[in-house]
Amino acid sequence: MAETEPPGAPEGSRLGPDERRDQILACARRLFSEHGIDGVSNADVARAAGVSRALLNHYFGSRRELYREVVRRMMDVPPVPVPEYVPGASVEDRVAQSLDGWLELLSRNRSIWLDAIGIAGCGGDEELEAIIDQARDRAVNRAVEVTGLGPVVRAHPEIHAVLRGFSGMAEATTREWLRHGRLTRKQVHTLLEHTLLTIIRDVVPEVTALGE
């Protein structure tokens, strides 16, 4: 399909296919963040991106397909660079910094996050569920890196399941914050930080001992 520039676009502003996709996704992410999936149409996104609706549909198809791609891109954001082992950095420091980065990401993309975990939780979109499930696994792998549990998880795969349980609690806690306002961001951070540290110090040794 031929590229279509918005009326009045400056000469030389034509974008390549990858750049155009990125531009459309950036506009879609902003609109979905502000209005949620039900408050945004493909026509809204096309207008914000300055492209025809036909071109948007050519790249992404339906609104749900566009939304899935926005969620996938959001979940693929590189994590806060907190290496597994940093001289002089405590586990507490690494956990606090990583949680702060994650909560900032959710705060900036509130509607997208709440819609995505809500749809996935209802079983209404298998492809979106798969995207969220892959993101959960990446979050667990990140928690393993940040907490230095790599050797333990490799020796005891059940600890991965323990951390998946923690990730479910983390999702529920963010709903209490972002949707219901029953917790503040600082309270969520404190709850998740202390829970994860308790899992590391107390739960992991007990669970691994029970498996031996």
Side-chain angles (χ1 to χ4, degrees), residues 71-202:
V71 172
R72 182 180 288 109
R73 289 286 186 97
M74 184 183 82
M75 297 300 185
D76 282 343
V77 171
V80 179
V82 184
E84 184 169 352
Y85 296 108
V86 180
S90 66
V91 172
E92 291 84 354
D93 291 337
R94 295 195 296 271
V95 167
Q97 188 174 345
S98 292
L99 281 173
D100 194 55
W102 185 62
L103 295 177
E104 179 63 22
L105 174 67
L106 302 191
S107 178
R108 290 175 179 271
N109 298 276
R110 174 183 177 278
S111 292
I112 295 175
W113 171 250
L114 290 174
D115 284 346
I117 61 176
I119 293 168
C122 293
D125 187 324
E126 290 185 2
E127 190 170 338
L128 183 59
E129 287 183 49
I131 293 170
I132 298 296
D133 202 55
Q134 290 166 5
R136 288 168 178 149
D137 272 334
R138 287 195 299 273
V140 167
N141 292 338
R142 183 60 184 158
V144 169
E145 293 175 5
V146 168
T147 58
L149 287 175
V152 177
V153 172
R154 286 189 286 274
H156 300 275
E158 64 269 26
I159 300 305
H160 188 278
V162 170
L163 294 172
R164 277 296 297 255
F166 170 76
S167 73
M169 172 197 165
E171 287 181 18
T173 305
T174 61
R175 278 197 297 269
E176 293 299 311
W177 163 42
L178 294 170
R179 185 179 298 283
H180 304 297
R182 292 191 281 246
L183 290 170
T184 66
R185 173 172 167 169
K186 187 173 182 179
Q187 288 171 327
V188 170
H189 190 288
T190 298
L191 174 60
L192 296 181
E193 180 179 355
H194 284 280
T195 300
L196 184 53
L197 291 173
T198 298
I199 289 173
I200 296 166
R201 293 166 178 159
D202 300 331

Side-chain angles (χ1 to χ4, degrees), residues 17-80:
D18 291 342
E19 293 173 307
R20 179 62 76 199
R21 276 179 60 90
D22 288 344
Q23 180 208 20
I24 293 170
L25 285 169
C27 291
R29 180 168 173 169
R30 175 175 58 80
L31 292 174
F32 285 134
S33 292
E34 293 173 354
H35 307 291
I37 185 173
D38 292 332
V40 178
S41 67
N42 273 12
D44 294 329
V45 176
R47 185 163 48 250
V51 301
S52 69
R53 183 169 176 178
L55 183 63
L56 185 148
N57 291 342
H58 168 71
Y59 281 123
F60 298 104
S62 69
R63 178 182 64 170
R64 181 54 64 87
E65 290 170 316
L66 173 61
Y67 183 75
R68 290 186 194 121
E69 187 59 30
V70 168
V71 172
R72 182 180 288 109
R73 289 286 186 97
M74 184 183 82
M75 297 300 185
D76 282 343
V77 171
V80 179

